[in-house]
Amino acid sequence: MSKIGFIWVGKLKEPFSTDGCAHYWKKLSRFFQLEESVIKDAPGKLPVQDKNKKEGEGILSKVKKGDILIILDEYGDRLTSRELARRVQKWTDAPNQRPVFVIGGPFGLSDEVKKAARHSIRLSDMTLPHELARLLLLEQLYRVGTIHKNMPYHHD
């Protein structure tokens, strides 16, 4: 079974996102071996740039050899679900590598994390709260799994 990793900043707080993410995590785990790292939010009193730097250091400390970092960013590639499915297939087919999706905190990602990323994708042209972005990503990756298995979940 192919592996997919996730690195997120902050714990889920809202019940809708906690329940939704648990729902799609369980469904997604039918298709992929999932691994997750949660980075603690930087202290609230820090200036935004310092928060991003501290969270970025935490993110980069969780990266393993062979990880393909894919950040979610407002300037990332626009993809359809089928395009994402093709990319995930390519990333999971790579020997000794695993795709690792990264979602930053409320203030985004540090420049260091952006530089370390091999790919950047967006979920929407609109700005999303990071908890909702996490839920959307898990749903889309579940959709990817159903596309790979030719299951009737995705409709063109």
Side-chain angles (χ1 to χ4, degrees):
M1 185 178 285
S2 299
K3 292 181 182 178
I4 293 182
F6 300 93
I7 302 173
W8 336 100
V9 173
K11 292 181 180 176
L12 295 171
K13 296 171 184 83
E14 298 295 329
F16 81 88
S17 55
T18 303
D19 294 345
C21 286
H23 173 78
Y24 282 107
W25 187 271
K26 183 177 178 183
K27 291 170 89 69
L28 182 59
S29 66
R30 296 178 200 156
F31 303 117
F32 302 100
Q33 183 180 334
L34 307 176
E35 299 172 353
E36 144 183 86
S37 294
V38 179
I39 306 304
K40 188 176 179 180
D41 289 303
K45 63 182 183 258
L46 289 178
V48 170
Q49 198 165 19
D50 292 343
K51 281 184 191 198
N52 279 357
K53 184 174 176 18
K54 184 160 182 56
E55 291 169 354
E57 289 167 355
I59 290 168
L60 293 174
S61 75
K62 299 296 183 183
V63 177
K64 299 175 184 172
K65 184 179 181 192
D67 283 351
I68 303 168
L69 274 192
I70 303 129
I71 60 170
L72 274 72
D73 185 77
E74 64 184 320
Y75 302 108
D77 295 339
R78 282 188 190 112
L79 303 173
T80 66
S81 296
R82 287 214 178 266
E83 289 168 337
L84 179 60
R86 282 191 288 277
R87 288 200 187 183
V88 169
Q89 185 73 53
K90 183 176 159 186
W91 296 330
T92 56
D93 282 351
N96 302 316
Q97 295 185 340
R98 72 173 179 154
V100 176
F101 293 88
V102 178
I103 296 179
F107 299 102
L109 296 164
S110 69
D111 289 339
E112 292 78 15
V113 172
K114 290 178 182 180
K115 287 176 191 160
R118 298 244 307 264
H119 304 280
S120 176
I121 62 174
R122 71 173 81 182
L123 292 172
S124 172
D125 287 341
M126 295 180 271
T127 302
L128 301 171
H130 65 284
E131 288 193 31
L132 186 55
R134 198 182 301 188
L135 176 57
L136 237 49
L137 175 63
L138 291 172
E139 187 280 332
Q140 282 299 299
L141 290 172
Y142 170 69
R143 186 175 297 273
V144 161
T146 64
I147 290 169
H148 289 171
K149 297 289 187 190
N150 221 8
M151 295 169 67
Y153 182 77
H154 180 74
H155 307 286
D156 284 321

